[in-house]
Amino acid sequence: MGKSSVRGEGARPRAPHASDHGQDGGPSHEGGEPSADGGHRRSGRGGGGRAPRPRRRILRWSATILSVLILGTAGAGYLWYQHLNNNLETDDLNLGEHRAPEPTPNAAGQTPLNILLIGSDARDSKENQKLGGAKETFGGTPLADVQMLLHLSADRTNMSVISMPRDTLLDIPKCTDPDDGKVYEASTQRTMTNQTLGRGGPGCTVATWEKLTNIHVDHFMEVDFAGVVSMADAIGGVPVCVDANIHSRDSQGHGSGLKLKKGTTAVKGEQALQWLRTRYGFDGGTDISRAKAQHMYMNSLVRELRDNANLSSPNKLRRLAETATSALKVDDGLGTVKKLYDLSNELKKVSPERTTMTTMPFEYVGARVIPKPGDAEQLFRLVRDDIALDGKGKRKPAEEKLSDDPAAADDEIAVQVQNGTRTDVEPPVSGRANAVTQILAGKGFAKAAADTTTVLAQAKTVVRFPSAELEGDAQRVAKSLGMKLSSVKKSTDVSGVTLVVGADWREGNKPPKAKQDDKTPDSADALNGSDKKACMHVDPDFTWK
């Protein structure tokens, strides 16, 4: 399901360090041809080939909640509805070969929703250049500098958001551009996650998230900053707080230009954009502190939209709907105002008190970061298992569901064993795949074989299978080793039953039985959506009197 206009092949990804100079840059859209359903397909993403039609830049953070709330109130007849549909731009959801399995419905038949929010760092117009700076990157391949996974619980009682720092180093999967069929092979070394957008489009960013987290992503959204700024203006500004006077500008000219007095200020217009772009000036001067500021803004804006009476004007709502639909790029599954309206009704069911903003737990590798072993997977698992990050609500232990397909005899089950004991701080255990293969052979799995050509980094030992007819065999392997059935995962990354020996089983004859802990890791730096006292700590080098 490719897109209608072909992207130029001359685009050249920027070096990872180039984004450091664009700390205050904003995202962008390019135009496209109308699609059959009234939306617009994405055209060139920068670089060579056909020059993209300049459009407003995508906001550095993704205020999707707010956009869809506005859309839900903006209907004014069929023609207006069609006009708003024509504003929307669509793109393919997943450009990779791997798809995370869809979640199992709860007892009431409900399933959670996972939406990846993306903001790019393109400078594709004079307006973008003026706001974003970094002249040397003008027209370059856009970067996915803001990535947030929004998880709406199956019962619609709570919502969780995970931000990923743009400097996160990951294994990016193989992606295929739906425009021209160009194949971007999987990265051979860890690569900054913000480069995913230039490898065929937002669908590659989605594919990377699914590969890392094994969380099924239902939709994605990219958001233009102008739409969010208009919303901030319409409600009279969004309250933000700093614990000291701040001016985000250093002697080399770095900084967003944000200048605020100590305390709470309702920011709007370009000042709101400056808040969202600021890195220099907040304590730490990193993307981590910027993500925290974006979380505060997002929470505050949601509260203002819920409480502010100024949004009763039909004209204001129409203007907001016009701006919001022009600002959004979505997957085909959200490609009409009706679909966005339905989504808004789902999102509105969650109160700020049950909304939790988090940052993916990380650790530094030089100037970059990687997912923190243990903590990052813990956070991903909680979202995968639809467990509220605020610790509220009772959750019954998941029942272990046996496959409907019976297992073959042990000596007939072919099992490939891979060594996944490598971590970011420890080398792989030499010969581990062979050792575990012998353990399986001793249990009667005569067709177990070690894959000595593959060394992975897998935190927890897992048994993977590619299709339903092998699920029973995979469960039998797990049971023979004393593993829970929850460690058996369907995956298109394998061609048969595959045991990946994780870093939790570096020695011994049995995988460890870890206790299940459903607590959100402290390293996720959780922020509750109702916290009105949250305040950004200012770097003393960026204060003024």
Side-chain angles (χ1 to χ4, degrees):
M1 42 188 297
K3 294 156 281 186
S4 62
S5 59
V6 179
R7 189 178 305 108
E9 294 185 10
R12 179 171 57 87
R14 296 191 302 183
H17 63 79
S19 63
D20 291 344
H21 303 293
Q23 68 104 5
D24 299 320
S28 86
H29 273 17
E30 290 88 25
E33 299 299 324
S35 64
D37 62 0
H40 279 69
R41 296 293 189 178
R42 184 176 179 99
S43 64
R45 291 189 177 87
R50 182 181 300 173
R53 177 165 58 91
R55 294 193 58 183
R56 292 183 296 260
R57 47 197 283 121
I58 304 163
L59 183 59
R60 302 253 347 168
W61 72 288
S62 302
T64 307
I65 300 174
L66 314 171
S67 299
V68 295
L69 285 174
I70 294 304
L71 296 177
T73 62
Y78 178 75
L79 292 178
W80 177 247
Y81 173 79
Q82 285 300 103
H83 169 72
L84 294 180
N85 276 345
N86 289 338
N87 283 345
L88 287 168
E89 188 178 0
T90 62
D91 214 327
D92 291 57
L93 176 61
N94 189 313
L95 303 183
E97 298 176 325
H98 169 78
R99 287 309 312 269
E102 295 185 13
T104 303
N106 63 15
Q110 302 165 305
T111 54
L113 270 175
N114 296 303
I115 306 168
L116 187 62
L117 315 178
I118 306 170
S120 85
D121 194 20
R123 281 109 168 136
D124 62 349
S125 69
K126 291 182 179 179
E127 179 188 16
N128 288 349
Q129 194 67 53
K130 179 181 178 182
L131 291 167
K135 292 181 175 55
E136 72 279 4
T137 66
F138 184 83
T141 303
L143 303 174
D145 269 5
V146 175
Q147 300 175 33
M148 296 183 182
L149 182 70
L150 185 153
H151 171 82
L152 183 62
S153 67
D155 60 8
R156 306 305 191 248
T157 62
N158 66 89
M159 184 156 45
S160 306
V161 176
I162 301 176
S163 287
M164 182 184 294
R166 65 166 186 175
D167 289 346
T168 303
L169 297 174
L170 298 173
D171 295 324
I172 299 178
K174 176 182 176 181
C175 292
T176 302
D177 191 316
D179 277 355
D180 54 18
K182 181 176 180 179
V183 175
Y184 294 83
E185 295 295 341
S187 60
T188 56
Q189 59 184 4
R190 290 183 306 196
T191 304
M192 280 177 60
T193 182
N194 65 355
Q195 293 189 28
T196 55
L197 196 59
R199 297 166 64 89
C204 193
T205 309
V206 170
T208 302
W209 270 81
E210 288 206 356
K211 177 177 174 61
L212 173 69
T213 67
N214 208 33
I215 296 170
H216 181 83
V217 177
D218 300 285
H219 302 291
F220 76 81
M221 289 184 172
E222 289 183 350
V223 185
D224 187 297
F225 91 87
V228 178
V229 170
S230 294
M231 288 181 233
D233 289 347
I235 62 177
V238 176
V240 296
C241 177
V242 288
D243 65 0
N245 295 345
I246 181 174
H247 187 199
S248 177
R249 188 72 72 198
D250 66 10
S251 58
Q252 284 77 44
H254 296 137
S256 68
L258 178 70
K259 190 172 184 179
L260 295 177
K261 292 183 178 180
K262 176 182 178 180
T264 299
T265 303
V267 295
K268 57 182 179 179
E270 189 170 348
Q271 195 175 48
L273 178 62
Q274 289 173 337
W275 174 273
L276 296 164
R277 291 160 45 202
T278 294
R279 183 173 79 206
Y280 295 102
F282 292 145
D283 188 42
T286 67
D287 288 313
I288 310 305
S289 55
R290 177 163 53 187
K292 181 182 291 187
Q294 292 167 353
H295 292 168
M296 290 182 184
Y297 184 97
M298 193 171 182
N299 285 339
S300 185
L301 187 49
V302 170
R303 293 194 301 265
E304 290 297 303
L305 279 173
R306 283 176 172 270
D307 300 339
N308 198 297
N310 291 338
L311 293 179
S312 59
S313 165
N315 287 333
K316 287 184 178 179
L317 288 173
R318 266 197 295 272
R319 285 196 298 271
L320 286 168
E322 178 76 33
T323 305
T325 51
S326 297
L328 283 173
K329 177 191 275 81
V330 297
D331 64 280
D332 290 322
L334 290 179
T336 67
V337 172
K338 173 62 167 60
K339 292 175 181 178
L340 289 169
Y341 174 70
D342 291 342
L343 175 60
S344 75
N345 284 333
E346 296 299 296
L347 294 170
K348 286 188 288 187
K349 294 176 182 178
V350 181
S351 69
E353 290 77 13
R354 296 302 313 278
T355 300
T356 306
M357 311 288 293
T358 65
T359 298
M360 180 197 75
F362 65 90
E363 59 183 30
Y364 281 98
V365 176
R368 309 302 180 196
V369 301
I370 57 173
K372 185 176 182 179
D375 283 9
E377 173 54 28
Q378 169 77 346
L379 187 64
F380 299 152
R381 182 186 65 80
L382 294 178
V383 170
R384 222 169 27 235
D385 292 348
D386 199 25
I387 300 171
L389 298 186
D390 60 8
K392 298 178 181 178
K394 296 181 179 179
R395 178 177 179 270
K396 295 180 180 179
E399 294 183 4
E400 299 223 313
K401 184 177 181 296
L402 288 172
S403 171
D404 294 331
D405 183 63
D410 291 355
D411 60 357
E412 291 297 321
I413 298 176
V415 188
Q416 188 175 61
V417 182
Q418 294 179 339
N419 187 345
T421 57
R422 175 173 60 84
T423 73
D424 292 306
V425 294
E426 293 180 297
V429 177
S430 179
R432 193 60 182 150
N434 279 315
V436 174
T437 298
Q438 293 305 312
I439 293 172
L440 284 173
K443 294 179 177 293
F445 292 89
K447 293 186 177 182
D451 176 6
T452 58
T453 64
T454 303
V455 177
L456 306 172
Q458 176 73 34
K460 303 288 185 182
T461 300
V462 63
V463 182
R464 293 176 175 150
F465 65 96
S467 54
E469 60 269 18
L470 291 177
E471 183 179 19
D473 291 356
Q475 288 185 347
R476 174 60 194 152
V477 172
K479 185 176 180 181
S480 72
L481 293 170
M483 299 167 60
K484 291 186 175 181
L485 295 187
S486 58
S487 62
V488 178
K489 307 290 185 182
K490 185 177 180 180
S491 172
T492 55
D493 289 340
V494 297
S495 57
V497 176
T498 304
L499 171 65
V500 183
V501 183
D504 62 336
W505 192 16
R506 293 175 65 87
E507 59 184 8
N509 293 329
K510 290 184 178 180
K513 291 185 178 181
K515 293 182 179 179
Q516 192 84 319
D517 178 10
D518 290 343
K519 181 178 180 293
T520 300
D522 292 338
S523 55
D525 199 16
L527 176 66
N528 186 269
S530 64
D531 187 352
K532 297 181 180 181
K533 296 181 179 180
C535 205
M536 288 301 296
H537 183 57
V538 175
D539 185 331
D541 291 336
F542 289 85
T543 59
W544 57 277
K545 295 184 179 180

